Amino acid sequence: MSAPRVKVGVLGATGAVGQRFVQLLAGHPWFDLAALAASERSAGKCYAEAASWRLDTPIPDAARDLPVLPAEPGLECRVLFSALDAAVAGPIEEAFARAGYAVLSNARNHRMAEDVPLLVPEVNADHTALIAVQKQRRGWKGFIATNPNCSTAALTLALAPLERRFGIKAVVVTTLQAVSGAGYPGTPSLDILGNVVPFIAGEEEKIERETRKILGRRSGDAVTFHPMVVSATTTRVPVVDGHTESVFVSLEQAADLDAVREAFRSFSGPPQALRLPSAPAHPVVLRDEPDRPQPRFDVNLEHGMAALVGRVRPCELMGWKFIVLGHNTIRGAAGAAILNAELLQAQGILAD
Amino acid sequence: MSAPRVKVGVLGATGAVGQRFVQLLAGHPWFDLAALAASERSAGKCYAEAASWRLDTPIPDAARDLPVLPAEPGLECRVLFSALDAAVAGPIEEAFARAGYAVLSNARNHRMAEDVPLLVPEVNADHTALIAVQKQRRGWKGFIATNPNCSTAALTLALAPLERRFGIKAVVVTTLQAVSGAGYPGTPSLDILGNVVPFIAGEEEKIERETRKILGRRSGDAVTFHPMVVSATTTRVPVVDGHTESVFVSLEQAADLDAVREAFRSFSGPPQALRLPSAPAHPVVLRDEPDRPQPRFDVNLEHGMAALVGRVRPCELMGWKFIVLGHNTIRGAAGAAILNAELLQAQGILAD
Amino acid sequence: MSAPRVKVGVLGATGAVGQRFVQLLAGHPWFDLAALAASERSAGKCYAEAASWRLDTPIPDAARDLPVLPAEPGLECRVLFSALDAAVAGPIEEAFARAGYAVLSNARNHRMAEDVPLLVPEVNADHTALIAVQKQRRGWKGFIATNPNCSTAALTLALAPLERRFGIKAVVVTTLQAVSGAGYPGTPSLDILGNVVPFIAGEEEKIERETRKILGRRSGDAVTFHPMVVSATTTRVPVVDGHTESVFVSLEQAADLDAVREAFRSFSGPPQALRLPSAPAHPVVLRDEPDRPQPRFDVNLEHGMAALVGRVRPCELMGWKFIVLGHNTIRGAAGAAILNAELLQAQGILAD
Amino acid sequence: MSAPRVKVGVLGATGAVGQRFVQLLAGHPWFDLAALAASERSAGKCYAEAASWRLDTPIPDAARDLPVLPAEPGLECRVLFSALDAAVAGPIEEAFARAGYAVLSNARNHRMAEDVPLLVPEVNADHTALIAVQKQRRGWKGFIATNPNCSTAALTLALAPLERRFGIKAVVVTTLQAVSGAGYPGTPSLDILGNVVPFIAGEEEKIERETRKILGRRSGDAVTFHPMVVSATTTRVPVVDGHTESVFVSLEQAADLDAVREAFRSFSGPPQALRLPSAPAHPVVLRDEPDRPQPRFDVNLEHGMAALVGRVRPCELMGWKFIVLGHNTIRGAAGAAILNAELLQAQGILAD
């Protein structure tokens, strides 16, 4: 890659996902962190002051003294990673796209729009074709591309190998989600210490819809949802990082255990072929131990960018069942958006 | 009930479930705690010394100074509640049954024997008919009756109302189980703090088999397994007491939400009709809040003897999905065995 | 006690401490819960709607349908328990006292005023004499009486026996405080899961000052602070209920272990003599096991109204060291204020 | 450093501290991991089989296939790091030292022997002089050198700057220790979830004695204990890694806050001067935020090799108080022993 370095910024930089963007972008080989924006409350402060930094590595020097700017066009960068809250993300992201920025959004607002790609680069890199449609239809100089919600990110990585080889008819999934998925301050400790909260607002619908869009087929300018049925129950558990998912899958074609395992193990996609900087060597890591993956021990494998799959075994009812684990603020949020930007850069779309 | 008081004992009295038996039997209106037995290591000590008491109420005075005896026939009581470890429970329980004791066992060893009832009194009280078969076939003066494993106990209570009204074709369940289910010392803290362990040895098989036996039909002297398919994935989470279960169910007959909810709410059985001392007023408690039941807040409702059901809603794939919560060492272990003994007493079987 | 029943209300009834008041007042033998007040946001709703109930017993029936009223005089009751946040408690409590209500406050605002008693009934029941001074000086028909902050409540109960027998020169204390002490939503789970936060704003100063006022001597109309030096470090730990305190004490007089233990064990005061309904049988419970007290197992002993003391042993530097545990929302908040009200009722001050 | 590479081994390699040794030695610039030994139960297996690996990085490739050997002389290496349990460490370590090995022990057994150095290289590097005494007196070809217990390691690093500048008269310390300090399986989850255990067997005595030996003065062949009084209370909290300590110190000389802070900040010692590979850049890291250090966020700073100090402020009674945090299995165990070995190598003692 001899492409010139690209200036990037972060919208919503002070929150939990915003901090993860800043952490992951520090020292990025292609991107220079040039602008940080947040709500008016933080504007005017330097980043170290404005962000109540809550990651277990120090604030990157490159970000520490950057001013926190208002989230409005005028930021000196080409790409904006959006960690904005869904309550405000919609119009702000549109304003930036209209003004010519490439907006890589982690917010849910535009994910389901038919001209906005919902990307998992190993799975549906061709969905970036929607960007041209979007720019034309909306008359924008820039565009919006999105990554899925945190549970869907790992789930679709784990489903894609099965979809490719055998086809998928139906999925039943129960999630055990980490508290970092709820942002900061997010889940009160009185709610979750020694407890399970068997409900996360809006999460089940996101998993059920987004999975079908990501695994959907593009023909020409449009993406058709995959016809599979997805049914989810989502819960919150006292884990810091890492969403665990108990998955039951019904396949179109017969499969045996070796073939299913081989499908997981050999799975690869454009990020690996293109050697994108944030691409995991193995987007799906198959664990053979009887009791893995586990969030506290395994969530950082492949720098948090892989879906870890374990306990693959037949299910008398659905056909197959297994466990999936993904890092919810890396592969499930900031890392996903950065990988999307890298894909777009490699495809020549970022520089348009 | 003007029945004379019954002397009872506990096998494996010093462990986690044994302690729960002692706690629940203190002050029982029908039963007198007369004998405590445990492994040889504890024998000879008084109970307060031998048990490393780990419940949040004090050791009952009635048990504190009782001697801990060896687990072999000769104990002065009529009924023995067994909290023995499965590694040793088999022959010990048989020896007591042969010697004329009524053995109410929480161990898995005899649960699947065709002449041993696996009881959930609200669900299959008529399965106690197996006891006569057992005594005759084995030539025993006493007998063994069992309660299901901790996850199955709550699950079958929640499935029974649906089975009665609509019939059940299939069940997919993912459990989030508390650490007290693993006994003491049980799960090391290094394994479970801030973590999920997506595997519990043998647990899935128990749920899949025991559920079908409990919901099976008795005709004459035999119980036929229910033909439903049950598929389980079991996990351990950092919760002290209370197994949460994410359940997806496919019914035989069409149902609407009101009918399903009414089935749960109106469910009742022989323990309620007979006003057994440990019977919950409502064996299934239906919660209407969007985010309940939760183990830390709800596990002790109905003194830990109910299955709490919440989030009842349609599932596009299976038909229905909901959350079940049960107290794993009360309704899922000691309380279950005591309720079984109460049922047998009311049926006149204990006094035979 | 043949006193007529007293109508009481709760200010700040929807928060964490407010809920504890409602729980403890339900079924109280002397007091009738007649009024619930909270911020304007809740006003107009019924209590079940307004309070996001977070205790592990159900909302009491007596409170469920009570309307939540604005926190301003006009409430139909004689006594008001205040669980108001310190940000607003000052003027509101004064308005009620001026209007003739007896205000039993858990807020810090008036604790250090020289005419406001800061009460631990077993320790300084005679400090209620300040109430007459207060009414006269301020020209109020009602009055304000306060209970200490949650850590100080248990600490002073544990120090009082030593002060009485041997005199205290100095105290060094490190607290390990539960998250319920921070209210709801309070401590974010991302801050405290698997973590220790070694700072609680304002807490150390409260412990250092309030302890000296509570253990201070009243002469006539005034209370003189005890001259002991108190130095505190306070931390937050991932525990739901129960503040643990590591205490080092320097005594005025020589003591031996038996005498120190006997001082703890025999400690008693007016609540016990007067048989106040919320009085613990033993305000200090001495634990002999080498590793107790522990919050999860012991915090509810004596209905949460005692200070549990353990590990009493000599300290080469300070003289003595030991562990104290107290329930922070019962003895450290709502239960403390209720016991204060009971003391005032028994002293004839409430009915004035 | 152009010294030839040194072959090293680990005794007790399969346990929690043994795993940390293996993790830290993989890729070490001076040492080659050549031998792994453990109890007979593990002997004969390869390391990946024998160790139930419980760190959040994968087993190093260099160790994965090494055979696990019996813990007896004959191992092909020059240096042995001992993570043996104290129940067996004594004679095994002596056997190796007698046979000519340099034994760097984390066990408590020989720490207090007067001819065995108890080393914190930044603090008492000159205590290595005891090794010559030890070899001569015992007629050994090899020797034993030890590092302190996990709490003492961080404590002495934090005390040393104060001792050097101002002299220390007395220390009162309360620890909040992580569960990894208890090894594996160690603390049962039923004991520590949502709980504090206010007792750790033998820990307080170790802190009180070891601190005085480490800060003691060497004159000629002997080390004289420092006369300071140290009084400790130790507790276990639900934290995975990182012991937090609440410290109160009385100094010999008057000091002001700037001087105390400067003493912490400027502290350095032989490991820094010699640029030992495992030496932290700053052995004491002073944190200025009001609520730091915190174990979950800060324990891995300086690769877990520093003592983090925060909340430095005056104490009315003792003079000064502050918080110390140290990584208990790195600076408090395996990392400490490795740093000791590096010091001995730099001093030319390892190659003797």
Side-chain angles (χ1 to χ4, degrees):
Chain A
M1 278 295 152
S2 57
R5 298 184 64 80
V6 180
K7 286 190 175 175
V8 303
V10 179
L11 301 174
T14 55
V17 170
Q19 295 185 14
R20 193 61 88 174
F21 271 117
V22 169
Q23 182 193 49
L24 296 176
L25 288 168
H28 192 281
W30 296 358
F31 301 146
D32 284 327
L33 187 57
L36 297 175
S39 66
E40 296 188 4
R41 212 175 15 165
S42 299
K45 300 183 188 166
C46 75
Y47 186 65
E49 263 181 293
S52 180
W53 188 258
R54 271 203 160 56
L55 298 176
D56 59 2
T57 56
I59 301 197
D61 288 336
R64 177 178 290 280
D65 299 321
L66 282 184
V68 177
L69 304 169
E72 49 196 42
L75 303 178
E76 296 197 8
C77 58
R78 164 85 189 102
V79 175
L80 278 166
F81 295 104
S82 168
L84 291 168
D85 192 87
V88 301
I92 295 179
E93 293 177 0
E94 289 175 25
F96 278 100
R98 191 175 298 116
Y101 294 84
V103 177
L104 280 297
S105 173
N106 183 57
R108 70 161 186 268
N109 306 59
H110 301 99
R111 282 182 197 148
M112 302 311 290
E114 64 179 358
D115 59 356
V116 173
L118 177 56
L119 297 170
V120 178
E122 285 88 347
V123 178
N124 65 351
D126 64 323
H127 288 201
T128 58
L130 293 184
I131 290 173
V133 181
Q134 180 192 146
K135 293 171 80 164
Q136 184 182 1
R137 184 182 302 175
R138 306 198 187 200
W140 289 353
K141 286 184 288 181
F143 62 87
I144 297 172
T146 63
N147 57 277
N149 102 307
C150 45
S151 302
T152 307
L155 180 63
T156 50
L157 273 179
L159 292 178
L162 303 181
E163 165 63 13
R164 279 194 200 166
R165 293 270 187 107
F166 312 108
I168 293 180
K169 278 195 292 197
V171 177
V172 168
V173 58
T174 296
T175 66
L176 297 81
Q177 301 189 207
V179 296
S180 60
Y184 185 86
T187 310
S189 53
L190 272 176
D191 282 353
I192 200 67
L193 271 176
N195 201 19
V196 169
V197 178
F199 175 66
I200 302 174
E203 190 81 356
E204 293 162 7
E205 294 76 2
K206 288 184 213 164
I207 294 173
E208 292 169 0
R209 282 191 318 234
E210 295 179 11
T211 299
R212 295 180 51 221
K213 178 169 179 179
I214 294 164
L215 292 170
R217 182 165 305 174
R218 179 183 67 86
S219 46
D221 287 353
V223 166
T224 314
F225 276 40
H226 192 290
M228 71 175 66
V229 180
V230 181
S231 180
T233 289
T234 55
T235 76
R236 185 83 65 197
V237 293
V239 164
V240 173
D241 286 320
H243 289 357
T244 303
E245 311 184 28
S246 166
V247 184
F248 299 76
V249 177
S250 169
L251 301 179
E252 291 284 352
Q253 296 173 28
D256 64 19
L257 183 57
D258 285 344
V260 168
R261 292 171 51 85
E262 180 56 24
F264 285 127
R265 202 158 21 204
S266 63
F267 180 68
S268 186
Q272 288 70 41
L274 295 165
R275 298 182 176 274
L276 301 182
S278 300
H282 300 280
V284 173
V285 174
L286 183 65
R287 298 296 297 248
D288 293 324
E289 305 92 324
D291 61 353
R292 302 298 271 262
Q294 296 179 14
R296 215 181 74 233
F297 296 113
D298 301 320
V299 76
N300 289 315
L301 289 179
E302 294 278 4
H303 304 287
M305 287 298 288
L308 310 172
V309 173
R311 301 206 65 213
V312 181
R313 62 211 194 282
C315 166
E316 200 184 340
L317 182 70
M318 298 281 291
W320 297 95
K321 50 185 174 179
F322 48 88
I323 296 290
V324 177
L325 169 68
H327 196 304
N328 53 296
T329 65
I330 299 181
R331 187 68 201 218
I338 294 172
L339 187 65
N340 284 354
E342 294 168 359
L343 175 70
L344 294 177
Q345 174 75 339
Q347 290 179 334
I349 296 175
L350 214 54
D352 273 6
Chain B
M1 278 296 152
S2 57
R5 298 184 64 80
V6 180
K7 286 191 175 172
V8 303
V10 179
L11 302 173
T14 56
V17 171
Q19 294 185 16
R20 193 61 89 174
F21 271 118
V22 168
Q23 182 194 47
L24 296 177
L25 288 167
H28 192 280
W30 296 358
F31 302 145
D32 284 327
L33 187 57
L36 298 174
S39 67
E40 296 189 4
R41 211 175 12 161
S42 300
K45 299 183 188 165
C46 75
Y47 186 66
E49 265 182 293
S52 180
W53 187 260
R54 271 201 160 57
L55 297 176
D56 58 2
T57 57
I59 303 196
D61 288 336
R64 177 178 290 280
D65 300 322
L66 281 183
V68 178
L69 305 169
E72 49 195 43
L75 302 178
E76 296 196 10
C77 55
R78 165 86 189 100
V79 175
L80 277 166
F81 294 103
S82 168
L84 291 169
D85 191 88
V88 301
I92 295 179
E93 292 178 359
E94 289 175 23
F96 277 100
R98 191 176 297 115
Y101 294 84
V103 177
L104 279 296
S105 173
N106 183 58
R108 70 161 186 268
N109 307 60
H110 300 100
R111 283 182 196 148
M112 302 311 291
E114 62 179 359
D115 59 354
V116 173
L118 177 56
L119 297 171
V120 178
E122 284 88 347
V123 178
N124 66 351
D126 63 321
H127 289 201
T128 57
L130 293 184
I131 290 173
V133 182
Q134 180 192 142
K135 293 171 79 163
Q136 183 182 2
R137 186 184 299 176
R138 306 198 187 197
W140 288 352
K141 286 184 288 181
F143 63 88
I144 297 171
T146 63
N147 57 277
N149 103 309
C150 45
S151 301
T152 308
L155 181 62
T156 50
L157 273 179
L159 293 178
L162 302 181
E163 165 64 10
R164 279 193 201 166
R165 292 268 187 108
F166 313 107
I168 292 180
K169 279 195 292 199
V171 177
V172 168
V173 58
T174 296
T175 66
L176 297 82
Q177 302 189 206
V179 297
S180 61
Y184 186 85
T187 310
S189 53
L190 271 176
D191 283 354
I192 200 67
L193 271 175
N195 202 19
V196 168
V197 179
F199 175 68
I200 302 174
E203 191 81 355
E204 292 163 6
E205 295 77 1
K206 288 183 212 164
I207 294 173
E208 292 169 359
R209 282 189 320 232
E210 295 178 12
T211 299
R212 295 179 53 221
K213 177 168 180 180
I214 293 163
L215 292 170
R217 183 166 304 173
R218 179 183 66 87
S219 46
D221 287 354
V223 167
T224 314
F225 276 39
H226 192 289
M228 70 174 68
V229 180
V230 181
S231 180
T233 288
T234 56
T235 76
R236 186 82 65 198
V237 293
V239 164
V240 173
D241 287 319
H243 289 358
T244 302
E245 311 184 28
S246 166
V247 184
F248 300 75
V249 177
S250 168
L251 301 180
E252 291 285 352
Q253 297 172 28
D256 64 21
L257 183 57
D258 285 344
V260 168
R261 291 170 52 85
E262 179 57 23
F264 284 128
R265 203 158 20 204
S266 63
F267 180 68
S268 186
Q272 287 71 40
L274 296 165
R275 298 180 177 273
L276 301 181
S278 301
H282 300 279
V284 173
V285 174
L286 182 66
R287 299 296 298 250
D288 293 323
E289 305 92 326
D291 60 353
R292 303 297 271 263
Q294 296 179 15
R296 216 182 73 235
F297 297 112
D298 300 320
V299 75
N300 288 314
L301 289 179
E302 295 277 5
H303 305 287
M305 287 298 287
L308 309 173
V309 173
R311 300 206 66 214
V312 181
R313 61 210 195 282
C315 166
E316 200 185 341
L317 183 70
M318 299 280 292
W320 297 96
K321 51 185 174 180
F322 48 87
I323 296 290
V324 177
L325 169 69
H327 196 304
N328 53 296
T329 65
I330 299 181
R331 187 68 202 218
I338 293 171
L339 187 65
N340 284 353
E342 293 169 0
L343 174 70
L344 295 176
Q345 173 75 340
Q347 289 179 335
I349 296 174
L350 214 56
D352 272 6
Chain C
M1 278 295 153
S2 57
R5 296 185 66 81
V6 180
K7 286 190 174 173
V8 304
V10 179
L11 301 174
T14 56
V17 171
Q19 293 186 15
R20 193 62 89 173
F21 271 118
V22 169
Q23 182 194 49
L24 297 177
L25 288 167
H28 192 282
W30 297 357
F31 301 145
D32 283 329
L33 187 56
L36 297 174
S39 66
E40 296 187 6
R41 209 174 16 159
S42 299
K45 299 182 187 164
C46 75
Y47 187 65
E49 265 181 291
S52 181
W53 188 259
R54 276 210 154 53
L55 298 176
D56 59 3
T57 57
I59 302 195
D61 288 335
R64 178 177 289 279
D65 299 322
L66 281 183
V68 177
L69 304 169
E72 49 195 45
L75 302 178
E76 296 197 8
C77 57
R78 164 84 189 101
V79 174
L80 278 167
F81 294 104
S82 168
L84 290 170
D85 191 88
V88 302
I92 296 179
E93 293 177 1
E94 289 175 23
F96 278 99
R98 191 175 296 116
Y101 294 85
V103 178
L104 280 298
S105 173
N106 183 57
R108 69 160 188 270
N109 307 59
H110 300 98
R111 282 183 196 147
M112 303 310 292
E114 64 180 357
D115 59 356
V116 173
L118 177 56
L119 297 171
V120 178
E122 285 88 348
V123 177
N124 65 351
D126 64 323
H127 289 202
T128 57
L130 293 184
I131 290 174
V133 182
Q134 180 191 145
K135 293 171 79 165
Q136 185 183 359
R137 185 182 300 176
R138 306 198 186 199
W140 288 353
K141 285 184 289 181
F143 62 86
I144 297 172
T146 64
N147 56 276
N149 102 308
C150 45
S151 301
T152 307
L155 180 63
T156 50
L157 273 179
L159 292 178
L162 302 181
E163 165 64 12
R164 280 195 199 165
R165 291 270 186 107
F166 312 108
I168 293 181
K169 278 196 292 199
V171 177
V172 168
V173 57
T174 296
T175 66
L176 296 82
Q177 302 189 206
V179 297
S180 61
Y184 185 85
T187 310
S189 53
L190 271 176
D191 283 352
I192 200 68
L193 271 176
N195 201 19
V196 168
V197 179
F199 175 67
I200 301 174
E203 191 81 357
E204 293 163 7
E205 294 77 4
K206 288 184 212 164
I207 295 173
E208 291 169 0
R209 282 191 317 232
E210 295 179 11
T211 299
R212 295 179 51 222
K213 177 169 179 178
I214 294 164
L215 292 169
R217 183 165 305 174
R218 179 183 67 86
S219 46
D221 287 355
V223 167
T224 313
F225 276 39
H226 191 289
M228 71 174 68
V229 180
V230 181
S231 180
T233 288
T234 56
T235 76
R236 186 83 64 198
V237 294
V239 164
V240 173
D241 287 319
H243 289 357
T244 303
E245 310 184 27
S246 166
V247 184
F248 300 75
V249 177
S250 169
L251 302 179
E252 291 283 354
Q253 297 172 27
D256 64 19
L257 183 58
D258 285 345
V260 168
R261 291 170 52 84
E262 180 56 22
F264 283 128
R265 202 156 22 202
S266 62
F267 180 68
S268 186
Q272 289 70 40
L274 295 165
R275 298 181 177 274
L276 301 181
S278 300
H282 301 279
V284 173
V285 174
L286 182 66
R287 298 295 298 249
D288 293 323
E289 306 91 325
D291 61 354
R292 301 298 270 263
Q294 295 179 15
R296 215 182 74 233
F297 297 113
D298 301 320
V299 74
N300 288 314
L301 288 180
E302 295 276 6
H303 304 288
M305 287 298 289
L308 309 173
V309 173
R311 302 206 64 213
V312 182
R313 62 210 195 281
C315 167
E316 200 185 341
L317 183 70
M318 298 280 293
W320 296 95
K321 50 185 174 179
F322 49 88
I323 297 290
V324 178
L325 169 69
H327 196 303
N328 52 297
T329 66
I330 299 181
R331 186 68 201 218
I338 294 172
L339 187 64
N340 284 353
E342 294 168 0
L343 175 70
L344 295 177
Q345 173 75 339
Q347 289 179 335
I349 297 174
L350 214 55
D352 272 7
Chain D
M1 277 295 154
S2 57
R5 297 185 64 81
V6 180
K7 286 190 174 173
V8 303
V10 178
L11 302 174
T14 56
V17 170
Q19 293 185 16
R20 193 60 90 171
F21 271 118
V22 169
Q23 182 195 48
L24 296 177
L25 288 167
H28 192 280
W30 297 357
F31 302 145
D32 283 328
L33 187 56
L36 297 174
S39 66
E40 297 188 4
R41 210 176 14 160
S42 300
K45 299 184 187 165
C46 74
Y47 185 66
E49 265 182 292
S52 180
W53 187 258
R54 272 204 158 53
L55 297 177
D56 58 3
T57 57
I59 302 195
D61 288 335
R64 177 177 290 279
D65 299 321
L66 281 184
V68 177
L69 304 169
E72 50 196 41
L75 302 178
E76 296 198 9
C77 57
R78 164 84 189 103
V79 174
L80 277 166
F81 294 103
S82 168
L84 291 169
D85 191 88
V88 301
I92 295 179
E93 292 178 359
E94 290 175 23
F96 278 99
R98 190 177 296 115
Y101 294 84
V103 177
L104 279 297
S105 173
N106 183 56
R108 69 160 187 269
N109 307 60
H110 301 99
R111 282 183 196 147
M112 303 311 292
E114 63 179 359
D115 59 355
V116 173
L118 177 56
L119 297 171
V120 178
E122 285 87 347
V123 178
N124 65 352
D126 64 322
H127 289 203
T128 58
L130 293 185
I131 290 173
V133 183
Q134 179 192 143
K135 294 171 80 165
Q136 185 181 359
R137 186 183 300 175
R138 305 197 188 198
W140 287 354
K141 285 184 289 180
F143 63 87
I144 297 171
T146 62
N147 57 277
N149 102 309
C150 44
S151 301
T152 307
L155 181 62
T156 50
L157 273 179
L159 293 178
L162 302 181
E163 165 64 11
R164 279 195 200 165
R165 292 269 186 106
F166 312 108
I168 293 180
K169 279 195 291 199
V171 177
V172 168
V173 58
T174 296
T175 66
L176 296 81
Q177 301 188 206
V179 297
S180 61
Y184 186 84
T187 310
S189 53
L190 271 176
D191 283 354
I192 200 67
L193 271 176
N195 202 19
V196 169
V197 178
F199 175 68
I200 302 174
E203 191 80 356
E204 292 163 6
E205 294 77 3
K206 287 184 213 163
I207 294 173
E208 291 169 358
R209 282 190 318 232
E210 295 179 11
T211 299
R212 295 179 53 221
K213 177 168 179 178
I214 293 163
L215 291 171
R217 183 165 304 175
R218 179 184 67 86
S219 44
D221 288 355
V223 167
T224 313
F225 276 39
H226 191 291
M228 71 174 69
V229 180
V230 181
S231 180
T233 289
T234 56
T235 76
R236 186 82 66 197
V237 293
V239 164
V240 173
D241 287 320
H243 289 357
T244 303
E245 312 185 27
S246 167
V247 184
F248 299 76
V249 176
S250 168
L251 301 180
E252 291 284 353
Q253 296 172 28
D256 64 19
L257 182 58
D258 285 345
V260 168
R261 290 169 53 84
E262 179 56 24
F264 283 128
R265 203 157 21 203
S266 62
F267 180 68
S268 186
Q272 288 71 41
L274 296 165
R275 297 179 177 275
L276 300 182
S278 300
H282 300 280
V284 174
V285 174
L286 182 66
R287 298 295 298 250
D288 293 324
E289 305 92 326
D291 60 354
R292 302 297 272 265
Q294 295 179 16
R296 214 182 74 234
F297 296 111
D298 300 320
V299 75
N300 288 315
L301 289 180
E302 295 277 4
H303 304 286
M305 287 298 287
L308 309 173
V309 173
R311 300 206 67 214
V312 181
R313 61 209 195 282
C315 167
E316 201 185 340
L317 183 70
M318 299 280 291
W320 296 95
K321 51 185 175 181
F322 49 87
I323 296 290
V324 178
L325 170 68
H327 195 304
N328 52 297
T329 66
I330 299 182
R331 186 69 201 216
I338 293 172
L339 187 65
N340 285 353
E342 294 169 0
L343 175 71
L344 295 176
Q345 174 75 340
Q347 289 179 335
I349 297 174
L350 213 56
D352 272 5

